[in-house]
């Protein structure tokens, strides 16, 4: 009998270990695939020409493989999205966590979560049908499908990520800080801006970085609303072609094993490295934050 | 205006509710200026509830409600037309667990001044030094005012919290179990400090430590289940309590 439970325990252990390591296997598999499919490109194209080249003409008779316009497009669109998702996301977190009454909280939190559950295609529709025509009229543009539209929609999409992570950071700030502030005669606004927010500061930065990495990796929406022109953007009102939408748009037409195919995988690799770096920074900042507040010390 | 002007603070017919739960029942207490008043009683009897009321910190608890009056120099501070911010500037509070902000030592103390719109840098600096001296912390931190306050020891942190409180210029100081998380030496320092501060301030302290109450206080109030059972000179309470329950508590037979 005793032997039997021991064996059972071993099986459980083994099973869970396998489960835990499976994600590692998937990760390794994906990285290997990315490397295997992207590296052949660099037998024909110099790495620096690939990253800094200003022309992306993969299907021209003399193809050019510069993804600088695509990187800049991703960068601009993400930056623009930050202007939307940081104030709105952090602001809603502050409101929900620090100001709202219990009844409002019960109502607001699920509402923001619903925002996260809308499929990105639907956001894309919204961008095409509502935001783009509006901006086209407002700025007198040839097309409303541009970096600004993509930024706005991506910004809205990243609000739930930023908000819920910022809220986590706020809930890590001990109530004793708030009490101490009120006890010396600070009002609610001063307590929020001068004690709570700074104490939650690096936690909130983590939220922002992860919101960015969410925005930079988003594909469907930008494919639908960013406009798609592979030029280095000089204004938010120009159509742009971020990395993700390039891959999505061209993968179907690229011949398997061709240079174009390899180049698209290389873009994927670059994107992967960028988000990896974002997530690592977020992780580091988050650790520092917990140390600063004396959590898990 | 209330006519009994000799009391620094006075609670009159206080009833306190957390939702439907009545946590304080008809409390009357008069606190003389420049004395230390100890509040004792078993856990959950309403000590914290009572002293938090004295600077309107109870307002932070949603769903709480108070009836009655608390007079400070004859003025009813529970009057809704009076700003809680003003009350808290006159009646400071130090908490059970030291709670410095994750800021520098200097910023911790200047915080109370800057939130109250003091802008004069020289004045702030002078106040910081003065408060640290009054809290008997100056010698230990004078060379490290720019250090993060969380690096101080527990006892130093608690004295920093006292200094932070003093900087705002209060007249009454409320201490809610200020030594509960401190070692005996730090506790001794805080007690010494209280006796010193008594000269210029009026002090109310909640404590679970009978010896501490006996050592530092002039007056003692014994709470039980939301009621003030006995209130009088510390010496009388500890040597000849009038109430059987007080006696039982003090001699350690319950609580
Ligand atoms: N925020 C709150 N909401 C609801 N009930 C509360 C709240 N705070 C305290 N109480 C209740 O009010 C009563 C008095 O609590 P209080 O904290 O004043 O006791 P105390 O004498 O300070 O106890 P201790 O010695 O453990 O600190 C207790 O029954 C407690 O459960
Ligand atoms: Mg208490």
């Amino acid at each position: 009998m005793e032997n039997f439970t021991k064996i059972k325990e071993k099986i459980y252990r083994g099973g869970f270990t396998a489960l835990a390591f499976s994600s590692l296997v998937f990760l390794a598999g994906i990285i290997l695939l990315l490397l295997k499919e992207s590296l052949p490109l660099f037998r024909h194209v110099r790495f620096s020409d690939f990253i800094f080249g200003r022309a992306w003409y993969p299907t021209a008779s003399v193809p050019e493989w510069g993804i600088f316009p695509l990187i800049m497009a991703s960068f601009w669109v993400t930056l623009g999205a930050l202007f939307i998702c940081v104030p709105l996301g952090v602001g809603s977190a502050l409101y929900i966590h620090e100001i709202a009454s219990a009844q409002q909280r019960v109502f607001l939190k699920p509402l923001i979560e619903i925002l996260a559950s809308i499929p990105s295609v639907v956001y894309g529709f919204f961008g095409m049908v509502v935001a783009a025509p509006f901006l086209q009229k407002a700025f007198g543009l040839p097309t409303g499908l541009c970096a600004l539209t993509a930024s706005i929609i991506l910004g809205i999409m990243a609000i739930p990520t930023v908000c819920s992570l910022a809220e986590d950071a706020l809930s890590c700030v001990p109530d004793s800080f708030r009490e101490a502030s009120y006890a010396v005669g600070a009002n609610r606004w001063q307590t929020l801006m001068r004690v709570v927010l700074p104490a939650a500061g690096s936690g909130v930065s983590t939220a922002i970085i992860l919101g960015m990495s969410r925005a930079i990796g988003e594909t469907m929406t930008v494919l639908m609303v960013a406009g798609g022109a592979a030029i280095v953007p000089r204004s938010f009102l120009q159509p742009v072609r971020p990395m993700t939408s390039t891959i999505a748009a061209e993968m179907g037409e690229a011949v398997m094993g061709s240079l174009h195919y390899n180049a698209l995988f290389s873009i994927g690799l670059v994107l992967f490295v960028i988000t990896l770096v974002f997530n690592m920074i977020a992780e580091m900042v988050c650790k520092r934050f917990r140390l600063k507040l004396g959590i898990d010390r | 205006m209330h006519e009994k002007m000799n009391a620094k603070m006075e609670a009159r017919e206080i009833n306190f509710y957390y939702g439907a739960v009545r946590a304080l029942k008809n409390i009357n207490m008069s606190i003389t200026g420049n004395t230390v008043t100890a509040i004792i009683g078993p856990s959950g009897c309403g000590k914290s509830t009572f002293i938090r009321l004295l600077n309107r910190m109870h307002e932070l608890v949603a769903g709480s409600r108070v009836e009655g009056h608390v007079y400070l120099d004859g003025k009813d501070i529970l009057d809704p037309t009076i700003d809680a911010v003003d009350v808290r500037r006159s009646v400071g509070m130090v908490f059970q667990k030291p709670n410095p902000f994750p800021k520098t030592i200097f910023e911790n103390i200047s915080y109370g001044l800057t939130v109250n719109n003091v802008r004069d840098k020289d004045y702030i600096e002078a106040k910081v030094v003065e408060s640290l001296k009054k809290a008997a912390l100056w010698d230990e931190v004078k060379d490290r005012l720019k250090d993060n306050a969380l690096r101080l020891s527990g006892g130093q942190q608690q004295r920093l919290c006292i200094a932070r409180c003093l900087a705002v210029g209060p007249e009454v100081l409320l201490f809610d179990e200020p030594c509960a998380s401190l070692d005996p030496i730090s506790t001794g320092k805080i007690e010494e400090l209280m006796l010193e501060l008594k000269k210029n301030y009026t002090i109310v302290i909640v404590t679970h430590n009978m010896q501490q109450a006996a050592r530092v206080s002039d007056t003692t109030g014994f709470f039980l289940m939301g009621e003030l059972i006995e209130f009088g000179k510390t010496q009388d309470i500890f040597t000849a309590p009038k109430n059987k329950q007080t006696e039982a508590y003090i001699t350690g037979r319950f609580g």
Side-chain angles (χ1 to χ4, degrees):
Chain A
M1 196 63 214
E2 201 165 297
N3 245 349
F4 181 66
T5 48
K6 255 188 191 160
I7 291 170
K8 227 166 75 178
E9 199 167 289
K10 261 191 185 154
I11 292 174
Y12 278 137
R13 264 187 79 104
F16 280 112
T17 313
L19 284 178
F21 276 90
S22 65
S23 56
L24 207 65
V25 172
F26 293 137
L27 181 67
I30 287 173
I31 294 176
L32 280 179
L33 178 76
L34 272 179
L35 286 173
K36 175 175 164 285
E37 298 295 348
S38 63
L39 288 181
L41 176 76
F42 299 106
R43 275 191 229 127
H44 304 270
V45 183
R46 286 229 316 268
F47 183 69
S48 61
D49 289 345
F50 176 68
I51 298 287
F52 297 109
R54 288 177 169 254
W56 173 254
Y57 297 126
T59 50
S61 53
V62 185
E64 298 211 43
W65 307 104
I67 63 165
F68 193 66
L70 317 182
I71 296 179
M72 286 324 274
S74 286
F75 176 75
W76 277 57
V77 166
T78 305
L79 188 76
L82 280 187
F83 280 97
I84 307 274
C85 72
V86 171
L88 288 177
V90 176
S92 338
L94 273 177
Y95 185 80
I96 291 176
H97 197 267
E98 303 286 329
I99 298 171
S101 65
Q103 296 109 296
Q104 283 176 322
R105 199 169 306 153
V106 170
F107 168 78
L108 280 173
K109 271 187 84 154
L111 212 65
I112 288 185
E113 274 149 29
I114 289 175
L115 212 54
S117 65
I118 297 174
S120 52
V121 134
V122 175
Y123 277 105
F125 273 137
F126 175 75
M128 286 175 102
V129 177
V130 181
F134 176 78
L135 291 170
Q136 184 181 14
K137 256 194 214 134
F139 291 100
L141 302 172
T143 168
L145 300 177
C146 62
L148 182 62
T149 316
S151 292
I152 292 173
I153 305 295
L154 281 185
I156 296 173
M157 290 175 74
I159 288 174
T161 310
V162 175
C163 178
S164 75
L165 289 169
E167 226 200 305
D168 287 349
L170 290 174
S171 64
C172 283
V173 176
D175 270 337
S176 64
F177 289 177
R178 296 181 182 86
E179 279 190 332
S181 173
Y182 287 120
V184 291
N187 60 33
R188 185 184 238 168
W189 178 248
Q190 291 166 327
T191 303
L192 265 186
M193 294 324 254
R194 298 191 43 191
V195 175
V196 178
L197 207 50
S202 34
V204 173
S205 334
T206 308
I208 294 170
I209 297 168
L210 291 177
M212 270 168 80
S213 107
R214 162 104 178 77
I216 206 168
E218 173 52 41
T219 307
M220 187 45 89
T221 319
V222 286
L223 183 64
M224 292 169 82
V225 302
I231 40 170
V232 179
R234 251 171 286 115
S235 117
F236 270 110
L237 300 176
Q238 285 177 334
V240 294
R241 190 180 187 88
M243 292 187 275
T244 48
S245 52
T246 308
I247 299 176
E250 296 176 14
M251 203 41 131
E253 61 196 55
V255 181
M256 214 171 147
S258 67
L259 269 192
H260 189 192
Y261 181 83
N262 297 142
L264 293 179
F265 269 95
S266 304
I267 298 176
L269 190 64
V270 170
L271 202 58
F272 172 71
V273 170
I274 292 176
T275 28
L276 186 70
V277 169
F278 276 168
N279 286 305
M280 271 160 54
I281 295 174
E283 181 75 15
M284 252 160 53
V285 173
C286 187
K287 236 181 219 155
R288 280 242 303 279
F289 166 62
R290 301 181 79 81
L291 268 183
K292 186 172 124 194
L293 292 186
I295 307 165
D296 38 70
R297 191 166 41 177
Chain B
M1 277 290 187
H2 197 73
E3 58 294 345
K4 267 176 115 180
M5 292 297 284
N6 53 347
K8 182 71 188 171
M9 278 196 107
E10 186 153 19
R12 279 281 155 261
E13 276 150 41
I14 294 289
N15 286 292
F16 191 94
Y17 304 85
Y18 289 110
V21 180
R22 192 170 170 205
L24 291 176
K25 296 168 195 159
N26 201 24
I27 306 287
N28 288 288
M29 185 187 284
S30 145
I31 296 161
T32 313
N34 298 97
T35 63
V36 177
T37 302
I39 309 280
I40 59 171
S43 199
C45 66
K47 305 182 294 295
S48 298
T49 304
F50 178 71
I51 75 160
R52 292 170 73 88
L53 194 77
L54 300 182
N55 72 342
R56 289 196 26 193
M57 288 296 281
H58 70 278
E59 287 173 4
L60 302 182
V61 180
S64 67
R65 187 164 59 83
V66 60
E67 294 165 354
H69 308 276
V70 172
Y71 298 100
L72 172 66
D73 291 328
K75 211 165 82 179
D76 187 356
I77 58 168
L78 294 185
D79 186 329
T81 61
I82 288 183
D83 194 351
V85 167
D86 293 329
V87 173
R88 290 174 194 154
R89 241 180 297 169
S90 314
V91 185
M93 176 168 265
V94 174
F95 300 84
Q96 170 171 350
K97 208 169 143 259
N99 56 356
F101 301 124
K103 297 172 182 279
T104 68
I105 294 174
F106 187 93
E107 286 167 339
N108 259 280
I109 300 184
S110 62
Y111 180 79
L113 296 167
T114 52
V115 293
N116 289 304
N117 295 317
V118 179
R119 292 278 170 271
D120 182 347
K121 280 215 167 103
D122 295 333
Y123 176 81
I124 292 177
E125 229 176 283
K127 265 288 170 197
V128 168
V129 175
E130 183 195 316
S131 311
L132 282 170
K133 282 182 177 160
K134 276 192 194 162
L137 189 59
W138 174 247
D139 290 330
E140 289 157 67
V141 302
K142 62 176 176 235
D143 302 319
R144 43 193 289 216
L145 295 180
K146 295 241 158 12
D147 274 12
N148 192 316
L150 293 180
R151 285 208 217 120
L152 297 172
S153 76
Q156 288 172 326
Q157 286 188 7
Q158 195 60 302
R159 276 177 286 147
L160 181 76
C161 294
I162 295 174
R164 178 173 66 192
C165 186
L166 295 178
V168 193
E171 298 158 33
V172 180
L173 300 174
L174 308 173
F175 292 83
D176 193 351
E177 301 184 48
C179 305
S181 62
L182 303 184
D183 64 278
I185 292 177
S186 306
T187 300
K189 281 189 185 159
I190 302 249
E191 287 180 10
E192 230 172 84
L193 180 59
M194 259 184 256
L195 292 175
E196 182 62 33
L197 289 172
K198 179 170 104 165
K199 293 175 192 159
N200 299 306
Y201 301 89
T202 305
I203 295 175
V204 182
I205 173 178
V206 170
T207 179
H208 276 284
N209 180 334
M210 293 307 112
Q211 283 81 26
Q212 182 169 61
R215 278 193 301 264
V216 299
S217 72
D218 306 288
T219 317
T220 297
F222 171 61
F223 278 69
L224 189 62
M225 306 196 16
E227 286 181 79
L228 180 57
I229 301 291
E230 192 165 348
F231 183 64
K233 274 198 182 139
T234 299
Q235 212 180 350
D236 298 345
I237 297 247
F238 278 90
T239 54
K242 294 196 187 73
N243 186 291
K244 275 212 189 89
Q245 288 165 311
T246 315
E247 187 181 355
Y249 181 72
I250 286 168
T251 53
R253 264 183 278 140
F254 76 87

